Amino acid sequence: MRIAILSPEAVPFAKVGGLADVSSALNKALRADGVDSLLILPLYDSIDRSRLKVFDEELGLFWRSKAPRIRVWQSDELAAPTYFIDAPHYFHRGKIYGDGDDHERFAFFCRAAIALIRRLDKPIDVLHCNDWQSGFASVEMKRLRGHDEFFARTKILFSIHNLAYQGLFDPDDLWWLGFGDEKNEFLSNGAASALKAGAMTADALSTVSPRYAHEIQTREQGYGLDWLMRLRSNRLVGIANGVDYEIWNPETDPHLAANYSLDDLSGKRACKLDLLRRFGLPEEVERPIIAIISRLVAQKGYDLIRDAARAILDTGAFFIALGAGAPEYEDFLQSWHDVAPYRVGIYKGFAGEPLAHQIEAGADLFLMPSLYEPCGLNQMYSMRYGTVPVVRATGGLDDTVRNFDPSSGDGTGFKFHQYDAADMLEKIREGLYFYNQPEVWKRIQLNGMATDNSWSAAARKYIQLYQEMPGLR
Ligand code: ADP
């Protein structure tokens, strides 16, 4: 089986959020199961070319009434071959997203990716599109395979990693982007939506947790597309992301002050001390650390943290936050740190991977009070690192964290249900109550560390989906 995965992000090359971890890890897991997979990414200016080699000097394609020739690069760094579309005009922007012409940039990426697949000369069984940035490719593939023998047997899977980001733009642009005939597929409440077009045209849809697959069919979480998700629910599956344990494993993690494992947790203390030092906090190792790593957007529950900021400190814990995003939340973190510099440690910005690993290892509780969460990765990383997650029971957080039950001793974290600061606080307090009972705490830590969220199970579900999804509709 031959699969081409299109993604706007993949570690270690370009990362904004979880999609980057998922794109690489899925590829690797597919390869391990004998699937002939490949990955196609844009070549952003942040990607170091010295680790790549040129694959094709002049890949030809048609774009806006012209026939440009572009360079394609290749990397063998990942288990699966990775190709990069080199178009400086579109991808040398000093950032990955956020320009007014993002729809044009990624429509170009999709056009070039399909030209590349053709150039590779070996038909693919499935085109696996991810998020709105590859929605254009789904539309184009559906059109192409109707008259192009090379693609006649290619099926299209569209994966939704976050339904709230729909790639909206002015429908008038559809004509010059080459999608005038497919206007209906794109139109959504008066705008053109690349995500909607992808979801309309793909043969099957997936999303990143079973619970989220249900939630996006509701008005509350459907972001105006719940009707489409319900309409296509017989073609929509939820497959929870996994963890790449070669990267996220406290036993071997090279970024930690000390390694530790299920059998010997003692190194975690050194990691905690190291973390306190990194954030300039007093070396009070007995005091619990609550941590968060996330994009600073409303989705991640920062309004609850702001409402509860004072009460969180009243619990006696340290709070450590790593995040980049909306100025209002950056300002909040800064002012919180300013009033309590010895209790609140912050890093505003996108840190390299090492700091995220050091926080996972050094913290005691990991907070994810998300308004919604398609899957979430940090709660799974936390569990592996013996750091106990406190999460809101939504989407993948609900699917992957088991609430601790003191009577049976089962559970890997603490879950609250209402999107409410008081409910969140109650669970933080409950967590801290057990933190102060070392035997119970260790039990919760070990329950989490022993949980298997590896990619192999998820990859097998994708393979089954690739095999069983219907072809030409
Ligand atoms: P989302 O994809 O919605 O951002 P996930 O929990 O699925 O959320 O994945 C987030 C990923 O991005 C995690 O690997 C996390 O460690 C990383 N991350 C988020 N913010 C930062 C940051 N400011 N610096 C470094 N890594 C970050």
Side-chain angles (χ1 to χ4, degrees), residues 301-313:
Y302 258 90
D303 292 319
L304 299 193
I305 297 174
R306 189 165 50 190
D307 288 351
R310 176 83 196 254
I312 290 174
L313 292 190

Side-chain angles (χ1 to χ4, degrees), residues 184-328:
N184 264 335
E185 321 287 42
F186 281 88
L187 271 187
S188 178
N189 290 321
S193 158
L195 182 135
K196 185 205 160 208
M200 287 281 281
T201 49
D203 300 304
L205 306 179
S206 75
T207 185
V208 288
S209 68
R211 170 94 195 252
Y212 192 60
H214 286 289
E215 288 171 349
I216 56 179
Q217 296 177 46
T218 65
R219 258 192 103 99
E220 298 71 41
Q221 300 228 31
Y223 283 86
L225 291 180
D226 43 301
W227 63 273
L228 179 57
M229 298 302 134
R230 287 194 298 275
L231 204 65
R232 304 215 62 198
S233 58
N234 60 339
R235 293 267 175 271
L236 167 66
V237 297
I239 302 175
N241 290 330
V243 174
D244 185 339
Y245 287 130
E246 277 179 23
I247 298 178
W248 295 94
N249 179 359
E251 270 184 86
T252 53
D253 193 328
H255 305 303
L256 307 189
N259 291 112
Y260 57 93
S261 69
L262 196 73
D263 302 320
D264 178 7
L265 271 164
S266 57
K268 194 166 167 65
R269 193 181 166 89
C271 295
K272 185 168 181 179
L273 195 60
D274 175 60
L275 182 64
L276 290 170
R277 287 187 185 136
R278 283 179 189 280
F279 278 85
L281 296 168
E283 294 175 13
E284 299 166 5
V285 205
E286 303 310 322
R287 194 188 281 282
I289 300 179
I290 306 171
I292 183 167
I293 305 172
S294 81
R295 293 178 293 117
L296 298 177
V297 290
Q299 176 204 336
K300 299 295 181 181
Y302 258 90
D303 292 319
L304 299 193
I305 297 174
R306 189 165 50 190
D307 288 351
R310 176 83 196 254
I312 290 174
L313 292 190
D314 286 346
T315 64
F318 287 118
F319 197 93
I320 286 180
L322 163 60
E328 62 166 314

Side-chain angles (χ1 to χ4, degrees), residues 298-301 368-373 391-394 397 416 419:
Q299 176 204 336
K300 299 295 181 181
M368 295 181 79
S370 303
L371 179 59
Y372 70 91
E373 194 60 73
V391 305
R392 179 160 174 262
T394 180
L397 296 176
F416 62 99
Y419 187 71

